[in-house]
Amino acid sequence: MPKIKLVSLIGLLYMGVCATPAVALDLSLADAITKITNESHDLKKATANLKKAEASLDATNANRWFKLDATASYMNLVNVENPTKSMELKLPPEFGGLLADSLGETGFPDNIFSAGLSLSQPIYTFGKIGNAVKSVKSAIKMSEASRELTRREVRYAAADLYWTAKMTDEMVKLSEKDLKNARVAKQKLTSAGRANRSNLLKIESDIISKEVDLAYSKFNRDTAHRMLKIMAGIDVNEPLNLTDNFPKTFGELSAGTLETTPQWEILGEQVNMYERLARSKRADSYPTLAATASYSYMSMGGDIGHMFDTKGSQSAYWGLALQVPIFNGGLNRANATIEAMNAEAAREDLAQAKKITTEQYDNAISQYNMLRDNLASLEQARDLAAKTYELSQNRFASGQTSAVELADVSAGLYQLDVSVLKMKYQILMSAESIKKLGE
């Protein structure tokens, strides 16, 4: 019997543990931005593009330094008439004597080994390499600005996800409150003993409609929370508690004149890159001065085992080489023109971007100020609607008004609550737009 009690107690404890609701994960706006930024694939790609541009700079800079090449080869002359036998070329007496003096051979040996080193170092290229390097440096700055632009976009998207999810939380609360008010009205109507059929039908219809609105609000909340968790790398089954609330008041902006943006930096460096590429392409038509040096060694013998018994032949040289392009059908000039026109197009894009982005920045500031000024008026209208609803409730309870009027007043209050909530969301996102453009 005691064993049965012990097993039952363990079972109850286990059921109690399993029935314990999961603790929601507290998530602030700052935490959400950090998590989403760390999970962002776009930001990871922007970082990879920056590293690729830096590697391109190393590759272009390599053209400044000397190049050293080594070669080695072994050859065996084949007797075509009888491949199983070695091939030894018999030379005329005058050549055979010289060969015998140097290698102890009267014929040309069939085993030949050669090795060598060659070195070249550019000295002056009339800006061909220098402008190419500068163009890649501009590309690196473009990649850095692009990564910053992506970071701002990701931050804006993270704030949008967070405040959208928070707004859906508040929408659920408003829908629950609206439904509760309708049910309370029905209870008062039936308890007062004056539930005429018209009022009762209207309240029943109102309750059903509000239940549908609540289900829709919960669906939107769950969808917004899932998207936030996916982008933040959080398990979709883990409940969230969004700790940051919508502010009750909003301060004045301290935003100044828009001086620069990552987009402007990208286009400005793009102009520089194309201009430097054009100079580099023009320099392809100019001479190239380089230093050269070489060393070679050759050894020959009648068989491999004795190929290095005699003294091999060595040679070396150093000097300057001037390479002068004479004619290539206008290729260099055409390539330079292409890059120059690319620079001109990028310059036009920069001028257009400055106009559009400045207008967007000014509009975001104006929108923030306009919404901030109108929020107080909207909240005042909401407070008046709340008082009107309270009066309508009292009149309905005393039989001085109908369920139709009460439902209309309740709907008006609900819509104003929603409008206040949406305006706060718009104010916050206007502030985020200003940060994204002019941070």
Side-chain angles (χ1 to χ4, degrees), residues 350-371:
L350 176 58
Q352 183 73 0
K354 285 185 175 181
K355 294 177 183 178
I356 294 175
T357 309
T358 301
E359 181 65 20
Q360 291 174 341
Y361 180 75
D362 294 339
N363 283 342
I365 294 175
S366 300
Q367 183 183 37
Y368 178 90
N369 292 328
M370 180 272 293
L371 293 172

Side-chain angles (χ1 to χ4, degrees), residues 385-402 405-410:
K387 292 179 181 178
T388 303
Y389 179 71
E390 184 178 355
L391 292 174
S392 295
Q393 276 186 318
N394 295 333
R395 292 177 61 198
F396 181 77
S398 61
Q400 297 178 7
T401 188
S402 66
E405 180 183 338
L406 182 63
D408 290 341
V409 175
S410 176

Side-chain angles (χ1 to χ4, degrees), residues 231-245:
M231 299 304 293
I234 301 171
D235 187 353
V236 293
N237 296 317
E238 185 169 4
L240 285 183
N241 176 35
L242 305 181
T243 57
D244 283 21
N245 296 314

Side-chain angles (χ1 to χ4, degrees), residues 1 4 10 33 69 78 82 90 94-95 99 124 148 152 168 217 219 284 302 312 320 323 330 364 396 415 433 438-439:
M1 190 68 177
I4 296 176
I10 293 174
I33 291 174
D69 297 316
V78 178
N82 189 354
K90 297 297 183 180
E94 60 272 19
F95 293 105
L99 194 64
Y124 193 69
E148 173 61 18
R152 294 188 184 188
T168 58
S217 297
F219 175 80
D284 285 338
L320 295 175
Q323 181 181 5
F396 181 77
Q415 290 300 325
S433 295
E439 186 178 33

Side-chain angles (χ1 to χ4, degrees), residues 70-286:
T71 59
S73 66
Y74 165 77
M75 294 182 292
N76 179 267
L77 302 180
V78 178
N79 187 335
V80 178
E81 297 178 353
N82 189 354
T84 61
K85 293 184 178 181
S86 298
M87 176 69 176
E88 183 175 353
L89 299 177
K90 297 297 183 180
L91 301 178
E94 60 272 19
F95 293 105
L98 293 174
L99 194 64
D101 293 340
S102 60
L103 299 177
E105 299 283 353
T106 58
F108 198 86
D110 62 347
N111 293 291
I112 306 170
F113 171 80
S114 64
L117 293 173
S118 62
L119 181 144
S120 64
Q121 168 67 57
I123 296 177
Y124 193 69
T125 62
F126 291 89
K128 184 189 306 182
I129 297 177
N131 282 301
V133 169
K134 289 178 181 178
S135 70
V136 177
K137 288 181 178 179
S138 292
I140 291 176
K141 292 180 180 179
M142 288 169 58
S143 297
E144 290 173 344
S146 179
R147 184 175 64 174
E148 173 61 18
L149 180 62
T150 303
R151 186 194 68 80
R152 294 188 184 188
E153 293 285 355
V154 170
R155 188 192 186 284
Y156 179 87
D160 191 16
L161 285 170
Y162 188 89
W163 290 121
T164 298
K166 188 65 178 181
M167 184 168 63
T168 58
D169 285 347
E170 298 299 322
M171 290 291 292
V172 170
K173 293 178 182 178
L174 291 176
S175 297
E176 289 175 341
K177 179 182 176 182
D178 197 33
L179 177 59
K180 180 181 178 181
N181 289 338
R183 287 172 175 170
V184 170
K186 177 184 176 182
Q187 183 180 3
K188 289 181 178 180
L189 182 65
T190 55
S191 62
R194 56 180 182 80
N196 65 66
R197 185 172 180 80
S198 176
N199 281 339
L200 190 59
L201 288 175
K202 172 58 181 174
I203 291 181
E204 287 289 353
S205 174
D206 203 29
I207 289 174
I208 294 173
S209 176
K210 294 178 187 301
E211 287 174 343
V212 173
D213 290 341
L214 177 58
Y216 185 72
S217 297
K218 288 182 176 179
F219 175 80
N220 286 341
R221 178 198 61 190
D222 296 341
T223 301
H225 275 239
R226 276 198 306 273
M227 183 57 66
L228 176 59
K229 286 184 280 192
I230 289 172
M231 299 304 293
I234 301 171
D235 187 353
V236 293
N237 296 317
E238 185 169 4
L240 285 183
N241 176 35
L242 305 181
T243 57
D244 283 21
N245 296 314
F246 284 97
K248 294 182 179 180
T249 59
F250 296 87
E252 294 185 2
L253 286 175
S254 59
T257 305
L258 186 62
E259 299 294 338
T260 185
T261 71
Q263 183 187 18
W264 297 359
E265 293 175 10
I266 291 171
L267 292 172
E269 290 300 331
Q270 194 173 46
V271 172
N272 294 334
M273 181 187 72
Y274 285 134
E275 288 179 343
R276 288 160 179 167
L277 282 175
R279 296 190 192 107
S280 179
K281 297 298 183 183
R282 291 190 193 99
D284 285 338
S285 299
Y286 305 148

